[in-house]
Amino acid sequence: MSRFIIFAISIFSLINVFISSVYSQEKSLADEFEDSYFGIFISPKVFLAKKREIVIYWNHTNYQQGDKIGLYSEKPGDDVEPIYIFEISFSSGIKKTKIEADLIPSRDLKFVKQCLKYHVAWLRSGKIIKENCLKTEPTWMEDMKCALGNQSVGNIFIPGTHNSAAYETSPSLIEDFFYNKYVITQDEDVLGQLIYGARYLDIRVCYRPNRKIKWWGCHELDTVPLQTIINDVKIFLNNTNEIVIFDVQEFSSEFAEDPRAHEKLIHFLKNEFKDYIIPYVGWYQSLNAIWSQEKKKNLIIGYDDSRYIFKHLFLWPSVTHQWGNVQSVDDLYKYLQRIEEQALSLTRTIPRSAMAQMTPNTKYIFNNLFGGIRRMAEVTNPKITGWYNGMWQHSANIVSVDFIKYSGIVDVALKWNSKRFNNTCLR
């Protein structure tokens, strides 16, 4: 055998060893981060001079001593310095950065997935080994069509928002203290919630027959006109092929006083959404069956009053809300653990939503024992993210949270949908 051939074989062998080594290292890192999660949360808390504080969340049991997480104002790279960095000392936690995120109105967001300004990177020995970013997910259902198409809504992991119409996009400390401490549950309008990844909207309706604007989204108190919410949903549906659940769950006392109130609301919804409504065909229908309709109709309207479901064929039975009605994190954990364990053995015909928040009762509100919904979410949302990423990822259906951007529930849902249904599509 000539020296040239021997040399060529040696070089080829070295290349193979190098490639195998690189692949092995990449696979090792991928395996290491398999069940981990880290990302950017936007704090719901309001301070005198600051709001929308960037908080970094991580949960990684295999972290190594000396590992760091850096926050960047652009995509991280060797020549890009972090604007904030810290060393990991625990397997999970949150880190407040004291950096305020830019306010981006929903009308300025795009209908394609994008990383916004802020990124995070996991650093080991000065090298970036994992990245994430503050991102939008306006098309995740269609992006995962090859994995989710044959599944029904009740089988997949869907991010939702609790009291979706109770939002304030630019809160002030005065407003939070005097008016909406126990009313506001979201920092994004409905369009923003959908663009960031929510596909389940928990809608509460108040009827004000003696006012110019009669229909309101509300959370005990009126928040925004129902027309505003409807317009946001239509904008989103006009620009995507996503399936949205608009679930009308509660009604104000005026509905009991006016026997025609429900019919009036149903007529209003039908008139506004006539070009978008999916007629009731059963919750067992696959996403592909919905997408295969001749006309693009991607809106499911749930209605929490069974008397009207059979009279109006465009209304769907409302999603089952699973409320713990608890006042501590430990009790919330126990309740969610129970319903998720039950979900593995029970077959449901109607989707369910785990309502992943504590519930302040009259005593707690009167004595301000929680300090408001924003502070409650600050305590619970990181835990919700960890629980549904590490324990209940295989059973989860709809999970509805307060202040969706102060959670990783969208990232976690997409990750585990991919794993649960053997997704081979590149996202």
Side-chain angles (χ1 to χ4, degrees):
M1 185 179 295
S2 71
R3 291 181 178 179
F4 176 77
I5 294 175
I6 294 173
F7 177 75
I9 292 173
S10 299
I11 293 297
F12 182 73
S13 298
L14 287 173
I15 291 172
N16 274 337
V17 168
F18 175 75
I19 292 173
S20 297
S21 175
V22 170
Y23 174 77
S24 177
Q25 290 176 11
E26 289 179 348
K27 187 177 187 306
S28 176
L29 284 174
D31 291 343
E32 177 190 333
F33 279 89
E34 176 76 9
D35 296 325
S36 71
Y37 177 75
F38 78 107
I40 296 172
F41 291 0
I42 304 299
S43 174
K45 286 186 69 173
V46 181
F47 303 93
L48 281 172
K50 186 180 299 177
K51 47 199 168 190
R52 298 184 298 278
E53 181 183 11
I54 294 176
V55 176
I56 298 172
Y57 168 87
W58 75 96
N59 189 324
H60 182 30
T61 55
N62 296 319
Y63 81 97
Q64 296 182 13
Q65 186 175 2
D67 283 359
K68 298 179 180 181
I69 296 179
L71 173 68
Y72 300 77
S73 58
E74 57 183 304
K75 183 173 175 56
D78 293 337
D79 57 345
V80 179
E81 291 295 322
I83 58 175
Y84 186 89
I85 191 168
F86 65 98
E87 186 170 328
I88 306 299
S89 302
F90 304 97
S91 60
S92 65
I94 59 172
K95 190 73 171 179
K96 299 180 179 180
T97 67
K98 298 183 180 179
I99 296 172
E100 185 174 323
D102 296 342
L103 173 63
I104 305 177
S106 63
R107 297 311 195 269
D108 293 342
L109 296 172
K110 299 177 181 178
F111 293 98
V112 293
K113 178 179 176 177
Q114 61 181 142
C115 283
L116 303 177
K117 178 178 179 180
Y118 300 100
H119 299 248
V120 281
W122 194 286
L123 304 167
R124 181 169 294 164
S125 301
K127 298 294 184 183
I128 296 171
I129 61 172
K130 190 79 173 176
E131 296 181 35
N132 202 350
C133 65
L134 179 62
K135 57 181 172 289
T136 61
E137 290 285 358
T139 59
W140 67 262
M141 275 186 170
E142 188 170 29
D143 293 345
M144 301 179 73
K145 188 174 183 178
C146 61
L148 302 183
N150 292 325
Q151 303 300 323
S152 68
V153 168
N155 285 341
I156 65 178
F157 191 162
I158 298 177
T161 50
H162 164 236
N163 263 310
S164 311
Y167 63 80
E168 174 54 72
T169 59
S170 187
S172 73
L173 186 62
I174 294 176
E175 284 180 324
D176 187 54
F177 184 79
F178 287 108
Y179 166 63
N180 48 26
K181 183 176 288 190
Y182 287 97
V183 173
I184 297 301
T185 60
Q186 303 296 330
D187 274 343
E188 289 289 330
D189 59 21
V190 167
L191 178 60
Q193 293 169 37
L194 293 168
I195 290 175
Y196 281 106
R199 294 296 174 269
Y200 174 77
L201 300 175
D202 168 27
I203 304 297
R204 319 295 175 90
V205 178
C206 285
Y207 176 42
R208 308 303 185 204
N210 298 321
R211 292 165 55 180
K212 182 178 179 180
I213 299 177
K214 291 179 170 50
W215 306 111
W216 289 80
C218 60
H219 183 195
E220 303 301 332
L221 301 175
D222 298 350
T223 52
V224 294
L226 188 58
Q227 185 70 62
T228 301
I229 302 163
I230 289 170
N231 292 345
D232 277 0
V233 172
K234 290 197 287 191
I235 290 170
F236 182 76
L237 293 174
N238 286 339
N239 287 277
T240 71
N241 199 28
E242 301 294 279
I243 297 168
V244 173
I245 304 171
F246 185 96
D247 203 23
V248 184
Q249 275 282 340
E250 289 186 8
F251 310 93
S252 65
S253 60
E254 287 85 353
F255 281 83
E257 298 165 3
D258 181 352
R260 293 286 301 163
H262 279 286
E263 291 291 350
K264 292 174 184 177
L265 173 60
I266 291 167
H267 176 76
F268 177 65
L269 292 174
K270 184 177 182 180
N271 186 60
E272 287 292 329
F273 282 132
K274 60 182 180 293
D275 295 328
Y276 306 87
I277 299 169
I278 306 167
Y280 179 58
V281 289
W283 281 111
Y284 59 86
Q285 290 289 330
S286 70
L287 302 193
N288 278 339
I290 293 173
W291 278 322
S292 66
Q293 298 171 98
E294 185 177 347
K295 294 183 178 180
K296 177 183 168 183
K297 292 180 180 290
N298 287 359
L299 180 67
I300 293 172
I301 299 182
Y303 205 79
D304 191 25
D305 193 320
S306 59
R307 295 174 298 172
Y308 300 95
I309 301 298
F310 297 107
K311 293 174 63 177
H312 302 278
L313 299 181
F314 73 94
L315 295 178
W316 293 55
S318 62
V319 167
T320 300
H321 272 197
Q322 295 184 301
W323 279 100
N325 194 27
V326 296
Q327 288 76 50
S328 74
V329 174
D330 286 345
D331 287 341
L332 179 62
Y333 171 80
K334 292 174 185 176
Y335 175 76
L336 293 175
Q337 181 183 46
R338 184 167 73 251
I339 65 170
E340 295 304 337
E341 287 178 351
Q342 289 173 348
L344 291 173
S345 58
L346 295 177
T347 301
R348 291 180 176 271
T349 57
I350 295 176
R352 63 185 183 91
S353 175
M355 307 308 290
Q357 52 278 144
M358 294 186 291
T359 306
N361 56 27
T362 304
K363 172 188 172 183
Y364 277 75
I365 294 173
F366 182 78
N367 294 293
N368 195 31
L369 297 180
F370 284 137
I373 293 176
R374 294 180 185 278
R375 288 174 176 81
M376 292 162 60
E378 187 179 41
V379 173
T380 58
N381 280 19
K383 295 184 181 297
I384 295 297
T385 301
W387 296 339
Y388 277 96
N389 184 55
M391 291 186 290
W392 307 324
Q393 63 270 36
H394 300 293
S395 59
N397 183 198
I398 300 168
V399 180
S400 297
V401 297
D402 291 333
F403 303 103
I404 191 169
K405 286 170 66 180
Y406 191 71
S407 82
I409 202 66
V410 174
D411 271 355
V412 169
L414 272 55
K415 167 185 172 180
W416 287 105
N417 276 330
S418 175
K419 291 179 179 295
R420 278 160 65 169
F421 303 111
N422 300 316
N423 183 21
T424 57
C425 301
L426 295 176
R427 296 195 67 251

